[in-house]
Amino acid sequence: MKVLVTGGLGFIGSHTCVSLIENGFDVVIIDNLYNSKEVVLDRIETITGVRPTFYKKDVQDLESLREIFKKEHFDAIIHFAGYKAVGESVKKPLMYYENNLESTFALLKCMEEFDVKNFVFSSSATVYGLPDKVPLTEDSPVKSATSPYGETKVMIERILTDIGNVHKDWNIALLRYFNPIGAHKSGLLGEDPNGIPNNLLPYINKVAIGLLPKVNVFGNDYPTPDGTGVRDYIHVVDLAYGHVLALKKLSTNPGLVIYNLGTGKGTSVLEVIKAYEKATGVKINYVICPRRDGDVPENYASTTKAEKELGFKCKYNIEDACRDGYNFQKAEFERQNNK
């Protein structure tokens, strides 16, 4: 099966490409390198022994996309490409709506034109908004999200649902991620965002190796056991394999399906810092800051449906993820400073 992976050189995308190749899929990547690096292609090849076909293109570029579809004859698409920082989306909503929606529209137009019928969408637990209760199941209400980033996920899910109702022969998987962390055990792939990280673990990684002075903990007055925000942190390698399982599910022609991909367990920010220190032996300095716009107090998954229908089960725990993330960040720093 030939699979187009948009944003395939990004954090989740690159790990998913590795998992796809290791499970016998033919992978083609489109990435505009907005928040990724082309060297990741070399690293995927080093890990798997296979170099995926790569197009440096923007998924919003419909004419370029048409040429690629015409040439490659895809069987399925996994759509990662998009802006993803909650805080930035609050400040730059137009940029987020334009990029995330238009890239999806371009893909769907090409799917119609070139008769591609399998689509996996990189969605998010943010579609649940401020949860009424946790754990969140796939039947929990989808609400108006707490940020423009989240709202783009809500909108795209709605668009895909409407399209699935029209194209009865299409198979669409909406994968609602919780909080991906960690890195590949090789130390070659991980999360190394441009500029100051927006997510917790990349920030901790940079503090651990001395690139940043301390972790900013946004809020310690939430209604949680220690007052800090609680999230469901899933190792990115486990999350990546979830996409392999989703494609196998789509091969059974299920129509539109929805799955939470998480661990089923909530961990607070302070618990993550303690787990990181235990896993790495590195002391992490932190400071309590005011709450951040768009954040919710508590958010973690029920994974019962994914376990039952996909056979999805996490192999790695939070300490594994902390250790792998630290090892990647340390190795990446050394690579960048020994050029």
Side-chain angles (χ1 to χ4, degrees), residues 79 84 98 118 122 132-133 141 189 254 259 276 310 329 338:
H79 182 30
K84 64 176 186 175
E98 181 179 33
N118 299 297
S122 166
D132 296 323
K133 60 180 181 178
L189 297 179
Y259 298 105
Y276 196 100
L310 300 181
Q329 186 65 78
N338 290 324

Side-chain angles (χ1 to χ4, degrees), residues 226-242:
D226 62 19
T228 63
V230 169
R231 298 291 183 270
D232 187 336
Y233 295 97
I234 177 173
H235 197 299
V236 66
V237 172
D238 284 325
L239 179 64
Y241 186 61

Side-chain angles (χ1 to χ4, degrees), residues 101-286:
L101 293 172
E102 288 190 1
S103 62
T104 306
F105 293 151
L107 284 170
L108 293 172
K109 288 175 183 176
C110 287
M111 285 180 67
E112 285 189 323
E113 186 174 341
F114 294 94
D115 198 31
V116 181
K117 298 179 179 179
N118 299 297
F119 190 90
V120 177
F121 176 55
S122 166
S123 192
S124 166
T126 193
V127 303
Y128 296 118
L130 185 62
D132 296 323
K133 60 180 181 178
V134 288
L136 288 154
T137 72
E138 289 82 356
D139 294 325
S140 296
V142 171
K143 303 179 179 180
S144 179
T146 57
S147 69
Y149 157 75
E151 199 62 35
T152 67
K153 298 297 188 183
V154 173
M155 290 178 177
I156 293 168
E157 282 202 8
R158 190 176 302 128
I159 291 162
L160 292 172
T161 300
D162 290 343
I163 287 174
N165 288 334
V166 173
H167 290 287
K168 300 293 187 183
D169 57 341
W170 282 25
N171 302 295
I172 299 169
L174 309 180
L175 300 185
R176 294 173 179 166
Y177 310 158
F178 280 69
N179 291 68
I181 60 173
H184 194 269
K185 63 183 179 182
S186 65
L188 292 172
L189 297 179
E191 190 169 12
D192 188 32
N194 298 325
I196 301 296
N198 288 292
N199 296 324
L200 177 62
L201 262 293
Y203 208 107
I204 294 176
N205 286 336
K206 289 188 182 294
V207 171
I209 66 167
L211 292 179
L212 292 170
K214 57 187 178 298
V215 175
N216 296 316
V217 177
F218 295 103
N220 68 341
D221 57 349
Y222 286 110
T224 61
D226 62 19
T228 63
V230 169
R231 298 291 183 270
D232 187 336
Y233 295 97
I234 177 173
H235 197 299
V236 66
V237 172
D238 284 325
L239 179 64
Y241 186 61
H243 294 76
V244 172
L245 297 175
L247 285 177
K248 290 180 178 178
K249 178 68 175 180
L250 294 190
S251 70
T252 68
N253 298 313
L256 186 136
V257 290
I258 303 172
Y259 298 105
N260 288 336
L261 295 184
T263 66
K265 180 181 183 296
T267 307
S268 76
V269 175
L270 293 183
E271 286 174 334
V272 171
I273 291 173
K274 289 175 185 175
Y276 196 100
E277 291 177 336
K278 183 179 177 182
T280 66
V282 179
K283 175 68 176 173
I284 302 299
N285 296 318
Y286 67 89

